[in-house]
Amino acid sequence: MLIFKRSLFIGLAALCLLPAINGPIALIMGLIFGSIIGDVGFSQVPKITKWLLQIAVVVLGFCIAVDKALSAGSEGFMLTALSVFSVLGLGLFLTKRFHLDKKMSFLISSGTAICGGSAIASMAPVINASTREISSALAVVFLLNALAVFIFPSLGAFMHMTQHQFGLWCAIAIHDTSSVVGAASVYGKEALELATTAKLVRVLWIIPLMLGVAVFTKDKKQFKFPWFVLFFILAMGFSAAFPLPKVLTLSMFTFSKSLMSLVLFLMGASLTLKEFKVVGYKPLVYGIALWVFVGVASAALILVFY
C-alpha cells in the first residue's frame, strides 16, 4: 500500500511539471492528495520544497524585463508606490488589531501589494514561513486572483473607465500578472498594453521588500541571509546587461512556472483539511479586506486624476 501511495505521489508531482498544470490546479491536487492519501513517508520533501522554491524565484529573475518596467513606469510609479505602502501598512494594522498569524498575514499582504503568488513565494523563505502558512496565503490570493478576471471588466464598464484607466487599474489592483493580462485583454488592446507594462513596475517592488525584511528582521539570532535574494537580483541585472533571446526567456519563464506548480503540489500534499480548519476563516477575510481596499482606493484615484 505504501508503494502505491509513493508511486502515485511521484506521478502526480511529475504531472505538475507539465505546462498545462498551473499553480492553482497543482495546489488543489496537493490538497486533495494530502487529505485523502495522507503522509507517504518522504522525510526530505520539506527541504526539497524549499530548494525548488528558491530556484524557481532565481530563474524568474532572468525573465523580468527591468528596462521595460522602468521605462513604462513613469506614469504609474507614484500610484504603484502609494498602493504598495498603503496595503502593507493596512495589513500590519489589521494583523495587530485582530491578533492574526503574523507570517501568514504578511504573506497575504505582500501578495496583495505586489504580485500575488510570486511575491508570496519570494517572501516565504526570507521570513522562514511554514508550509501551512505559505499554502494558506497562496490559497487566499489564488482565489481572489481568479475572481478578478471575471469581475474587473464588468466593474470597469460600470464605472465607465477608459481603456487607459482600466489598464492602470488592473496593474494596481489585481494580484498576479496572468490575471492582469486576462482581465485587461477583455477590455481592449490599449488596456492590455498599459496593464502589462505597468504591472512590471509593481513586480520590481519584490526586491526592496525582500531586502528590507531580510535586513530589519527582529529575529537576529536565527536569521540567515537569504542568498537566493542576491542571486535573484544578479539574474535580473544579467538579463538587463546581456539581453537573452526571447525564446530562451520564454522557456525559462515556463520552467520557473512549472517548478512553482511542483512546489505548490508538494506544499498542498503536506497539509490536511484538519489543518485548514485550525487556520479558520480569518486569512480569507483578511485577504478580502486588503483586496477591496486597494481596488476601491486605486479606482477612485484613477477616475479623478487619470
Side-chain angles (χ1 to χ4, degrees):
M1 187 63 179
L2 181 60
I3 295 177
F4 170 76
K5 288 182 178 180
R6 289 184 170 181
S7 299
L8 181 61
F9 177 82
I10 294 173
L12 291 174
L15 188 64
C16 290
L17 292 173
L18 297 177
I21 307 298
N22 58 26
I25 293 176
L27 180 61
I28 292 172
M29 287 170 56
L31 290 172
I32 293 174
F33 183 91
S35 299
I36 297 177
I37 306 298
D39 183 35
V40 293
F42 287 141
S43 60
Q44 294 299 313
V45 167
K47 185 179 291 186
I48 293 173
T49 302
K50 181 179 179 181
W51 277 100
L52 289 176
L53 177 59
Q54 295 181 3
I55 292 172
V57 172
V58 172
V59 173
L60 184 63
F62 286 101
C63 308
I64 296 178
V66 183
D67 54 341
K68 288 185 178 180
L70 293 176
S71 62
S74 56
E75 180 180 14
F77 177 79
M78 290 304 298
L79 185 59
T80 301
L82 181 62
S83 68
V84 169
F85 285 113
S86 297
V87 171
L88 292 176
L90 178 61
L92 182 61
F93 170 77
L94 293 178
T95 299
K96 292 182 177 180
R97 178 68 177 79
F98 297 103
H99 307 290
L100 302 173
D101 180 282
K102 293 182 179 179
K103 290 183 178 180
M104 186 189 302
S105 299
F106 180 71
L107 291 178
I108 295 174
S109 62
S110 299
T112 304
I114 303 176
C115 56
S118 299
I120 292 174
S122 301
M123 292 305 306
V126 180
I127 65 174
N128 197 27
S130 67
T131 298
R132 181 175 64 85
E133 291 164 337
I134 300 171
S135 299
S136 299
L138 286 169
V140 170
V141 168
F142 279 145
L143 173 61
L144 300 179
N145 197 51
L147 290 175
V149 180
F150 300 100
I151 67 175
F152 263 62
S154 298
L155 289 174
F158 177 77
M159 292 183 286
H160 303 289
M161 282 185 164
T162 64
Q163 288 201 27
H164 185 89
Q165 290 173 326
F166 185 78
L168 191 57
W169 187 42
C170 285
I172 298 298
I174 299 180
H175 302 81
D176 283 323
T177 304
S178 58
S179 289
V180 169
V181 172
S185 63
V186 175
Y187 215 75
K189 183 181 178 181
E190 183 184 347
L192 175 60
E193 291 176 353
L194 178 59
T196 303
T197 51
K199 175 63 178 177
L200 292 174
V201 179
R202 194 169 153 211
V203 172
L204 293 180
W205 280 92
I206 292 180
I207 301 172
L209 186 61
M210 283 194 295
L211 292 176
V213 172
V215 172
F216 296 107
T217 180
K218 294 180 180 180
D219 195 2
K220 298 294 183 182
K221 294 182 180 179
Q222 296 183 7
F223 172 71
K224 293 181 180 179
F225 183 79
W227 290 102
F228 82 98
V229 177
L230 177 60
F231 294 138
F232 174 79
I233 297 172
L234 290 175
M236 288 200 307
F238 181 86
S239 64
F242 307 99
L244 300 174
K246 189 174 182 179
V247 175
L248 180 58
T249 56
L250 287 175
S251 299
M252 295 177 75
F253 181 71
T254 302
F255 176 69
S256 177
K257 286 183 64 178
S258 297
L259 277 186
M260 202 72 75
S261 295
L262 174 58
V263 167
L264 292 175
F265 170 77
L266 295 176
M267 289 180 175
S270 66
L271 297 176
T272 63
L273 291 177
K274 185 183 295 184
E275 288 176 293
F276 265 106
K277 289 179 180 179
V278 173
V279 173
Y281 64 90
K282 286 186 177 181
L284 180 59
V285 175
Y286 175 82
I288 292 174
L290 293 179
W291 189 44
V292 170
F293 166 76
V294 70
V296 173
S298 59
L301 290 173
I302 289 170
L303 287 171
V304 173
F305 296 106
Y306 294 85

